Amino acid sequence: MDYRILTINPGSTSTKIGVFSNEIPLFEKTIRHDTEMINTFDNIIEQYEFRKNTILETLDTEGINVSKLNAVCGRGGLLRPIEGGTYLVNEKMLEDLKVGYSGQHASNLGGILAFEIASGLNIPSYIVDPVVVNELDEIARISGFSLIERKSIFHALNQKAVARRVAKDLGAKYKDLNLIIAHLGGGITVGVHKNGKVVDVNNGLNGDGPFSPERAGTVPAGDLVALCYSGEFFRDEVMKKLVGQGGLVGYLGTNDAVKVEEMIEQGNKEAKLIYSAMAYQVAKEIGSASAVLYGKVDAIILTGGLAYGKGFVNEISERVNWIADVIIHPGENELQALAEGALRVLRGEEVGKNYPA
């Protein structure tokens, strides 16, 4: 059967939409929102009516007949910690998205927009593998500091979608494999996928792990405490230095990996050192992840935008290919991943989950 699905991925100043016929994209577009218009809203959630109308107008302009849609699937937001899967949007989910249960982020609009559009068409609405997917083993939650528990916030949508694609390529099922997947983007997360569950992963939002183009990752705790109490910075200033102004931005003044590679080609030794250090830290994280699986790793997958950089992935691969074969799956096609998640439910391959799980 041919299922037609509208997928929605909201960003801070844009909304990506796509229409799929089963797995085949019929139409994809990034709608850019005027910054001045966005700034007229007091908070993210108030934008939903404006974005909904913009999406419907765009679909109409492009000649997309929404009456032929079978489902609408939005990017999952900062909800309660839940296991991976495709979830039906329900009232409790809408409530948590609106109040920002785990924080305010543009992705919170994904489920709301999906529900609002789908309700008018009397079809189901879903979200798939939100960033708060939490399947950590009990032992992985222990931080070493009794007042803080390790959290699972990572690129769940892309990691799980890529895991399924690689499993298919290997002629296996995702639930039967042990994989280590490194999502390499503005943030970097390295997930340990054991039999279909991400049993360990670094907190990619504002926590630990390798530094990235915009995030500092794990930093020496004692020195960070001393910096916080030095009297030189307010709390928000320190957070910005860790998230947004950390990593490549803090060292080199840019989060653009292409520019960094150009700097290296021009003989910039500092750029070479910092870029190599980022690859070095990713490789270390993969190495420690392999210990979780007792070294029994079927494949290591490098994905995300940075995986397009051949030099960068080569530096990582050279350090970890003794563990398992390294598979490069560059980019992150969130719209495709959302469509695939909805399809699994529509086809009866999975049961749509109820929130909260």
Side-chain angles (χ1 to χ4, degrees):
M1 180 174 176
D2 178 40
Y3 291 105
R4 189 161 292 195
I5 303 162
L6 169 64
T7 58
I8 305 170
N9 182 18
S12 57
T13 60
S14 67
T15 305
K16 295 178 182 177
I17 61 172
V19 176
F20 289 78
S21 175
N22 293 337
E23 294 91 347
I24 301 171
L26 302 177
F27 164 78
E28 293 185 65
K29 186 178 182 67
T30 299
I31 304 170
R32 306 288 180 186
H33 304 301
D34 182 74
T35 304
E36 290 186 6
M37 174 60 77
I38 291 294
N39 290 338
T40 63
F41 298 99
D42 292 332
N43 56 58
I44 291 169
I45 300 306
E46 288 185 2
Q47 300 172 18
Y48 89 85
E49 190 73 35
F50 160 72
R51 296 210 193 203
K52 171 189 170 183
N53 292 335
T54 303
I55 291 169
L56 293 175
E57 289 168 7
T58 301
L59 293 173
D60 184 57
T61 299
E62 297 292 336
I64 303 295
N65 186 347
V66 295
S67 67
K68 292 185 178 181
L69 294 174
N70 299 102
V72 185
C73 190
R75 181 73 181 266
L78 295 173
L79 294 159
R80 300 166 189 264
I82 53 178
E83 67 178 9
T86 300
Y87 286 78
L88 288 156
V89 180
N90 58 23
E91 290 298 329
K92 185 60 181 174
M93 181 186 293
L94 292 171
E95 178 184 324
D96 284 351
L97 289 172
K98 289 174 182 177
V99 300
Y101 183 89
S102 295
Q104 292 289 348
H105 190 272
S107 61
N108 289 10
L109 288 165
I112 298 171
L113 290 168
F115 179 83
E116 289 290 332
I117 294 173
S119 295
L121 299 169
N122 197 31
I123 57 176
S125 55
Y126 304 102
I127 66 164
V128 181
D129 292 326
V131 294
V132 292
V133 165
N134 188 342
E135 300 168 337
L136 296 185
D137 281 343
E138 185 177 7
I139 197 170
R141 302 179 192 277
I142 307 301
S143 71
F145 184 37
S146 63
L147 299 180
I148 299 176
E149 183 178 85
R150 291 187 65 231
K151 296 178 181 178
S152 175
I153 301 179
F154 70 110
H155 304 88
L157 181 64
N158 185 46
Q159 285 208 21
K160 283 184 171 278
V162 168
R164 291 186 178 94
R165 291 169 195 156
V166 169
K168 184 177 181 180
D169 291 342
L170 295 176
K173 294 181 179 179
Y174 173 40
K175 67 181 181 66
D176 295 330
L177 295 176
N178 287 343
L179 305 168
I180 296 173
I181 303 180
H183 178 104
L184 311 172
I188 291 176
T189 55
V190 179
V192 181
H193 296 242
K194 180 181 179 182
N195 302 128
K197 301 288 185 183
V198 184
V199 298
D200 202 343
V201 68
N202 62 293
N203 178 349
L205 182 62
N206 54 12
D208 50 9
F211 74 81
S212 75
E214 299 176 348
R215 294 172 172 82
T218 301
V219 297
D223 292 337
L224 179 59
V225 171
L227 183 70
C228 290
Y229 285 89
S230 66
E232 296 182 31
F233 306 100
F234 291 109
R235 180 184 183 277
D236 288 348
E237 289 179 301
V238 174
M239 284 304 299
K240 284 182 180 179
K241 288 184 178 297
L242 293 173
V243 182
Q245 298 175 1
L248 295 185
V249 174
Y251 284 108
L252 303 173
T254 180
N255 63 358
D256 189 335
V258 175
K259 289 184 179 179
V260 175
E261 290 171 354
E262 291 173 353
M263 293 165 68
I264 294 171
E265 290 176 3
Q266 293 167 5
N268 189 317
K269 293 182 179 180
E270 182 186 11
K272 172 61 177 172
L273 175 63
I274 299 304
Y275 207 46
S276 292
M278 188 164 69
Y280 172 84
Q281 289 197 5
V282 172
K284 279 179 63 179
E285 194 77 11
I286 291 171
S288 65
S290 70
V292 175
L293 298 169
Y294 296 90
K296 298 176 181 178
V297 183
D298 293 301
I300 296 167
I301 305 169
L302 305 182
T303 184
L306 293 179
Y308 285 109
K310 292 184 179 179
F312 184 66
V313 296
N314 283 343
E315 285 199 48
I316 298 171
S317 298
E318 287 172 0
R319 291 185 182 274
V320 301
N321 58 17
W322 57 274
I323 300 170
D325 289 340
V326 179
I327 299 172
I328 313 300
H329 235 284
E332 55 172 321
N333 193 338
E334 299 104 329
L335 298 178
Q336 181 82 39
L338 292 171
E340 291 170 356
L343 267 176
R344 288 192 294 274
V345 173
L346 293 171
R347 288 171 169 168
E349 297 169 2
E350 291 181 12
V351 176
K353 297 180 178 180
N354 291 315
Y355 175 88

